[in-house]
Amino acid sequence: MWNPGVEDELREIRAAAAKVARERYAPKAAQWDLDRTAFPHEERRFLGELGYLGISLPEEYGGAGAPLSHALAVIEEFAKVCRPAAFQIFESNTGPAQVIALMGTEQQKKAFLPGIVAGEITMAVAISEPDAGSAATDMTTKAVRTADGVVVNGMKRWISNGSEADVYLTYCKLSDAPGSKGIGAVLVEADRPGMSFGAREKLMGFRGIPSADIFYDDVLVPEENVVAEAGGFKKLFGAFTIERLGNTTMSLAIGQEALDRTVAYVQERYQFGKPLVEFQSVQMTLADMVLQVEAARLLRDRAVANMGDGLPDPLEVSLAKCTANEMAKRVTDMAIQLHGGNGYTEEFGIERLHRDSHGWALAGGTPTMQRTRIVSELLGRTFDQRS
């Protein structure tokens, strides 16, 4: 139900975030993208000083303890103009830091969350491997307990903030049990002996968000770094639904920004002696853009509104993420069409929105896998994709 007080509060939060994003980061975003510049550490600390890195994290560890909707509102406003800046807020409020807040020990929370909130350290999640992307339970990275601690061996791929983050929430096999029954998670600091990274990947989008392979070669971590024991995969992925809401919001922001820019452009741009918006074909395309953005927003907002016990419903998140991911790709493509040649230039920023839209559709579960999850969650059963 619509709540005027809540809406007013969110409106104020959005306005404040939009001001910072457009004044401080919009002027830098295009150059950072062109140069593939990783988000500067001093800027991350600036976001921490503003309180944006701990909006939805617990107060006792430096956060604000606010509802997730507040964090998503800020993420959206930043993501409209500068995805690398938005990613910092996304990662701390909806990413692996949330897993620690929900599942971590008191020691882990005290050790990592205050630094994340302050922007002093970053945490990334390491799940995918060369032969275990969508088939995450095929992972082979192992963590073995010894008298000295836990020894991690393996390799991770497609790690957003890989080589840049200070600590990695590493999904790994903690026992020889088959499939998800053997999978848990361990925190591995980047400066541990045996940790190394591949060259930063040159991606189509995500250019200010480093991505690199991670190599674990007999990396020893203390026993207290174990976040989830073998068999904790389902619980880990339950917490991962929050990250998928963050992903959904990133796509939503891209689609909304492409729509807003296009609405302005078709009213200002003249062809054949009249504004583009006077042409019926332009009106039809613009209407489709609005329909798709609003549908994605409503699905995202429903998933947030129905959160219980700190976690959203997996089916509602899958519906929202799949819709938003595909919406962003289509809407930015239509924005390019309506901008004509200007949409194909770097100057107008539409092509950058389109490039980034594809990245968010791949991250956190592709639309194809989301469709499988939708049916699985709808019917309450799993489907074995192996031959």
Side-chain angles (χ1 to χ4, degrees):
M1 294 179 64
W2 183 69
N3 186 318
V6 171
E7 291 300 317
D8 288 344
E9 187 176 21
L10 283 174
R11 194 175 296 113
E12 291 176 5
I13 291 168
R14 284 182 176 279
K19 188 175 189 298
V20 175
R22 295 191 182 274
E23 290 181 359
R24 189 176 182 100
Y25 296 111
K28 304 172 183 178
Q31 193 63 47
W32 282 346
D33 179 81
L34 186 64
D35 297 337
R36 299 180 184 272
T37 302
F39 195 70
H41 291 185
E42 61 271 19
E43 292 295 343
R44 189 176 73 225
R45 287 190 287 271
F46 173 74
L47 293 177
E49 290 170 3
L50 293 181
Y52 285 153
L53 302 184
I55 299 169
S56 60
L57 293 177
E59 292 180 84
E60 55 265 43
Y61 309 107
L68 184 64
S69 58
H70 291 195
L72 296 178
V74 174
I75 290 169
E76 182 177 349
E77 293 307 318
F78 274 80
K80 287 177 181 178
V81 297
C82 183
R83 264 70 68 197
F87 182 77
Q88 310 303 314
I89 305 167
F90 159 90
E91 196 81 323
S92 59
N93 286 285
T94 69
Q98 273 290 356
V99 177
I100 303 306
L102 290 168
M103 296 178 55
T105 65
E106 186 64 23
Q107 183 177 358
Q108 290 165 356
K109 293 173 185 178
K110 288 180 178 179
F112 296 104
L113 293 184
I116 291 171
V117 170
E120 296 297 332
I121 64 171
T122 57
M123 182 180 291
V125 61
I127 302 175
S128 298
E129 298 181 3
D131 296 316
S134 295
T137 54
D138 286 350
M139 67 179 64
T140 60
T141 297
K142 294 189 69 174
V144 178
R145 283 183 163 92
T146 69
D148 298 318
V150 182
V151 179
V152 184
N153 280 284
M155 175 186 178
K156 294 294 181 180
R157 176 160 289 173
W158 307 122
I159 308 306
S160 296
N161 235 18
S163 76
E164 182 71 14
D166 301 287
V167 60
Y168 297 88
L169 177 65
T170 304
Y171 285 53
C172 53
K173 299 283 286 186
L174 275 157
S175 81
D176 293 326
S180 63
K181 294 179 181 179
I183 296 174
V186 178
L187 289 167
V188 184
E189 294 90 339
D191 58 359
R192 292 272 177 188
M195 282 287 281
S196 61
F197 303 90
R200 289 187 175 178
E201 290 145 355
K202 293 184 177 180
L203 305 179
M204 171 181 167
F206 276 36
R207 292 187 176 180
I209 304 172
S211 178
D213 290 346
I214 307 176
F215 302 95
Y216 305 79
D217 185 11
D218 287 333
V219 181
L220 177 65
V221 299
E223 175 70 30
E224 53 264 30
N225 277 27
V226 175
V227 176
E229 296 287 353
F233 186 75
K234 184 175 181 180
K235 191 174 181 181
L236 285 164
F237 257 73
F240 195 66
T241 56
I242 295 178
E243 181 156 331
R244 285 186 163 135
L245 276 181
N247 179 304
T248 300
T249 301
M250 286 286 202
S251 286
L252 179 58
I254 289 171
Q256 185 69 64
E257 182 69 10
L259 172 61
D260 291 345
R261 293 189 188 192
T262 303
V263 166
Y265 184 81
V266 297
Q267 295 179 85
E268 297 165 357
R269 176 71 168 169
Y270 276 68
Q271 289 289 286
F272 301 101
K274 59 183 180 180
L276 285 178
V277 75
E278 296 289 338
F279 296 93
Q280 191 175 52
S281 61
V282 172
Q283 296 165 16
M284 297 302 103
T285 301
L286 197 62
D288 283 341
M289 294 170 72
V290 176
L291 285 166
Q292 292 181 42
V293 170
E294 289 302 307
R297 182 176 298 283
L298 288 169
L299 285 170
R300 193 283 306 268
D301 288 352
R302 183 182 70 172
V304 174
N306 290 342
M307 284 179 65
D309 299 323
L311 293 175
D313 178 80
L315 174 59
E316 292 185 349
V317 173
S318 292
L319 289 167
K321 182 182 185 299
C322 188
T323 300
N325 289 164
E326 295 199 328
M327 172 279 293
K329 291 191 292 182
R330 287 194 297 263
V331 166
T332 53
D333 183 65
M334 288 188 281
I336 290 172
Q337 292 178 50
L338 291 186
H339 278 75
N342 287 330
Y344 200 58
T345 68
E346 293 180 351
E347 180 183 357
F348 279 72
I350 302 298
E351 59 83 34
R352 179 157 44 95
L353 288 166
H354 186 61
R355 285 190 285 106
D356 284 350
S357 72
H358 282 266
W360 290 105
L362 293 170
T366 66
T368 299
M369 292 308 299
Q370 289 303 306
R371 283 177 165 81
T372 299
R373 289 183 61 83
I374 287 167
V375 177
S376 177
E377 289 150 1
L378 179 69
L379 301 181
R381 53 172 293 194
T382 59
F383 297 94
D384 190 352
Q385 304 297 320
R386 295 171 177 81
S387 57

